[in-house]
Amino acid sequence: MTPSEVIQFANDNDCQFIDFKFLDFVGIWQHFTTPIREFSEETFEEGIGFDGSSIRGWQPIHNSDMLIMPDPGTAKIDPFVEMTTLSLICNIIDPITREGYTRDPRFIAQKAEAYLKSTGIADTAYFGPEPECFVFDDVRYASTTNESFYSVDSVEGIWNTGREEFPNLGYKPRHKEGYFPCAPTDSMVNLRNEMMAVLQQNGLHIECGHHEVATGGQVEIDMRFDSLLQMGDNLQWFKYIIKNVAFRNGKTATFMPKPIFNDNGSGMHCHQSLWKDGKNLFAGDGYGGLSKMAMYYIGGIMKHAKALCAFTNPTTNSYKRLVPGYEAPVNLAYSNRNRSASLRIPVTNNEKAKRVEYRTPDASANGYLAFAAQLMAGLDGIENKIDPGQPLDKDIYGLSPEELEDIPTVASSLEDALVNLENDHDFLLKGDVFTEDVVEMWISYKREAEVDPVRMRPCPEEFALYFDC
């Protein structure tokens, strides 16, 4: 839509408010709302000022003034606000230079798409993430000087088979057996359907939804692939809708990768391909029906995987999921059909559907940054003809320690990922997509706000292990 069409759309829908949404550096949507009378076509030209020092990882207080610039192509009616409200996703602009703000994740995604076109390699990068989450009935946690605990609960959690529920009706999926029993074991059919209905009403193309492997309410709903920037926008709407539909049903949804011990964590497998002039450049006559370009793309992902983890698996909790020896995509190998490899080539006879699936990422990621970083790694592989080696068609989980020695792995912790990002980020700087400032701030913020607090705090398991030492 154009600005004038957005104004007309707001009037046609009798909107009373305008909600301006933008993403902070870490990956959480922020917003503020104005009455409709404060909204005009000039808003799209002049922007609206706000305090950038109050946003995580952004401006210092002595240089805090920033502008939001709404993107008219993102106009939607917010499905959760009682009074009809038009929602717009915004870009962040420097009020003096009127240029995009380097730490705005959406601007980084826009630059990644522009860089792709400038290379002449392709004109479109498609991404199809599969974000998984847990839906709980109760969550409690605290972390103080002398106390630290968490407790999550789900009516379908296997740990509740003996709970007095007046009556307890059983039908709770056992550990690792949540994929895909019918109701009543799958207790969330109606909730998922409501989520999918609202997602579709909001313009997202939904392909399917199902219970995932873990007990205790693990869910997966799949979106159809889209271009990098559009999928960044879609992922934000996806999380927002999932959380709010759960909330209005008296439940709570989390995209935290590993909220439950001893069962599967939540990932976000990322399907990706490059296209030019309407042709899928990943389709070919090589292994798995892929082109040489696709193989080089895989090589780039594998080469930079440890550094990529800083963006694709950006939380300390991410590495509770990425544990060697379990069903987690930690081994850097590629294979046709093989889901134990971190890079899978889905089986399809349709040339348009040929793609690479990177299985390591999780949905705690800032989608704009994670997609852009994967694209930059893949392009580096193409530009430098990085050979990914031979495919691994064996069950990696069944390999001996000797056989595993020669298979590289992803980062083992967030700190490991950040160290690798420090040492390996030149590929991100091409085309000024990421900047040194962005990389430095990401590393600094993650260490100070996340790695150090977790590293320094005693956890309950340490009391179980060491209190009597």
Side-chain angles (χ1 to χ4, degrees):
M1 281 191 272
T2 65
S4 62
E5 289 172 336
V6 173
I7 301 297
Q8 188 61 51
F9 179 75
N11 291 333
D12 291 345
N13 286 275
D14 196 26
C15 292
Q16 300 178 57
F17 295 94
I18 309 297
D19 195 59
F20 300 96
K21 294 180 173 68
F22 62 96
L23 200 67
D24 72 4
F25 195 47
V26 181
I28 305 298
W29 247 357
Q30 314 293 308
H31 82 122
F32 62 88
T33 309
T34 67
I36 187 70
R37 67 173 179 272
E38 299 296 320
F39 184 60
S40 68
E41 288 189 47
E42 284 70 35
T43 306
F44 294 95
E45 299 172 6
E46 300 173 3
I48 301 175
F50 74 101
D51 176 10
S53 69
S54 297
I55 306 300
R56 295 181 298 177
W58 279 12
Q59 292 294 90
I61 193 146
H62 66 273
N63 191 24
S64 61
D65 286 351
M66 303 294 291
L67 289 176
I68 63 159
M69 196 68 69
D71 182 340
T74 66
K76 297 179 187 288
I77 301 298
D78 192 308
F80 299 104
V81 183
E82 184 175 342
M83 295 185 179
T84 307
T85 299
L86 179 75
S87 175
L88 289 162
I89 298 176
C90 303
N91 297 315
I92 308 303
I93 303 296
D94 186 294
I96 297 176
T97 66
R98 306 291 293 188
E99 294 178 351
Y101 181 46
T102 58
R103 297 184 196 170
D104 174 14
R106 196 166 190 265
F107 183 46
I108 291 172
Q110 290 170 325
K111 289 190 291 182
E113 288 193 324
Y115 175 71
L116 172 64
K117 292 177 181 177
S118 75
T119 65
I121 293 172
D123 54 41
T124 308
Y126 283 119
F127 280 81
E130 299 176 349
E132 299 168 347
C133 67
F134 278 87
V135 177
F136 294 128
D137 293 284
D138 186 66
V139 55
R140 294 176 292 118
Y141 53 89
S143 191
T144 62
T145 301
N146 69 316
E147 179 183 59
S148 181
F149 81 94
Y150 73 89
S151 175
V152 295
D153 204 5
S154 165
V155 70
E156 66 168 43
I158 190 63
W159 54 84
N160 282 324
T161 55
R163 184 173 67 174
E164 292 185 358
E165 295 180 351
F166 310 105
N168 188 324
L169 300 177
Y171 291 109
K172 303 180 191 297
R174 288 176 285 271
H175 287 294
K176 301 184 183 296
E177 294 187 22
Y179 190 88
F180 311 143
C182 289
T185 303
D186 178 0
S187 68
M188 295 190 295
V189 178
N190 292 329
L191 181 65
R192 281 198 312 275
N193 287 349
E194 182 181 342
M195 290 172 172
M196 289 191 285
V198 178
L199 288 164
Q200 291 180 114
Q201 290 162 11
N202 225 51
L204 276 69
H205 186 144
I206 302 302
E207 294 184 331
C208 73
H210 57 83
H211 203 289
E212 255 298 338
V213 174
T215 187
Q218 193 179 33
V219 167
E220 179 178 324
I221 295 175
D222 294 336
M223 296 176 278
R224 185 174 177 81
F225 66 89
D226 214 323
S227 60
L228 190 156
L229 178 65
Q230 185 60 56
M231 185 51 73
D233 291 346
N234 290 350
L235 182 60
Q236 289 307 120
W237 273 111
F238 182 92
K239 289 184 175 182
Y240 179 73
I241 289 170
I242 296 299
K243 290 176 181 178
N244 278 282
V245 170
F247 191 79
R248 75 184 183 189
N249 281 274
K251 295 181 182 290
T252 183
T254 178
F255 291 89
M256 182 179 176
K258 189 71 172 179
I260 293 179
F261 171 66
N262 205 33
D263 211 334
N264 285 40
S266 293
M268 186 176 71
H269 305 156
C270 290
H271 298 254
Q272 46 207 288
S273 59
L274 298 182
W275 290 59
K276 188 173 185 179
D277 298 328
K279 180 181 178 181
N280 184 0
L281 302 180
F282 277 15
D285 56 5
Y287 177 83
L290 293 188
S291 65
K292 197 67 175 176
M293 179 185 290
M295 286 297 161
Y296 291 146
Y297 191 97
I298 290 173
I301 294 285
M302 292 176 67
K303 177 182 178 180
H304 300 296
K306 287 181 182 287
L308 283 179
C309 281
F311 294 111
T312 61
N313 306 86
T315 68
T316 59
N317 185 254
S318 296
Y319 301 88
K320 303 297 194 297
R321 167 181 170 256
L322 296 177
V323 178
Y326 294 86
E327 293 183 24
V330 300
N331 298 288
L332 290 168
Y334 73 95
S335 180
N336 191 22
R337 301 181 64 182
N338 186 353
R339 293 174 185 266
S340 67
S342 60
L343 288 141
R344 185 175 77 96
I345 303 168
V347 176
T348 175
N349 293 320
N350 184 351
E351 284 195 358
K352 292 183 178 180
K354 291 295 182 182
R355 63 198 187 276
V356 172
E357 177 191 6
Y358 188 37
R359 298 171 62 81
T360 298
D362 65 61
S364 68
N366 178 328
Y368 298 107
L369 300 183
F371 302 152
Q374 288 173 79
L375 173 63
M376 297 302 289
L379 290 177
D380 186 62
I382 294 169
E383 291 164 350
N384 292 290
K385 295 182 168 56
I386 299 174
D387 187 346
Q390 294 300 308
L392 186 60
D393 292 328
K394 298 179 181 179
D395 179 2
I396 296 175
Y397 305 136
L399 296 181
S400 67
E402 292 76 21
E403 291 175 299
L404 284 169
E405 281 182 359
D406 297 327
I407 302 175
T409 62
V410 298
S412 60
S413 66
L414 180 55
E415 176 60 23
D416 184 26
L418 296 174
V419 169
N420 277 278
L421 180 61
E422 275 184 318
N423 298 325
D424 176 27
H425 62 262
D426 287 348
F427 70 99
L428 296 171
L429 305 180
K430 295 176 182 177
D432 202 37
V433 175
F434 289 75
T435 62
E436 287 283 2
D437 170 70
V438 166
V439 173
E440 289 172 5
M441 177 53 72
W442 187 262
I443 292 170
S444 173
Y445 177 86
K446 285 289 175 178
R447 280 183 173 151
E448 294 176 9
E450 299 178 27
V451 173
D452 286 348
V454 171
R455 179 176 58 85
M456 295 166 61
R457 182 173 294 280
C459 75
E461 186 65 14
E462 290 177 310
F463 281 82
L465 291 171
Y466 309 127
F467 187 77
D468 60 350
C469 65

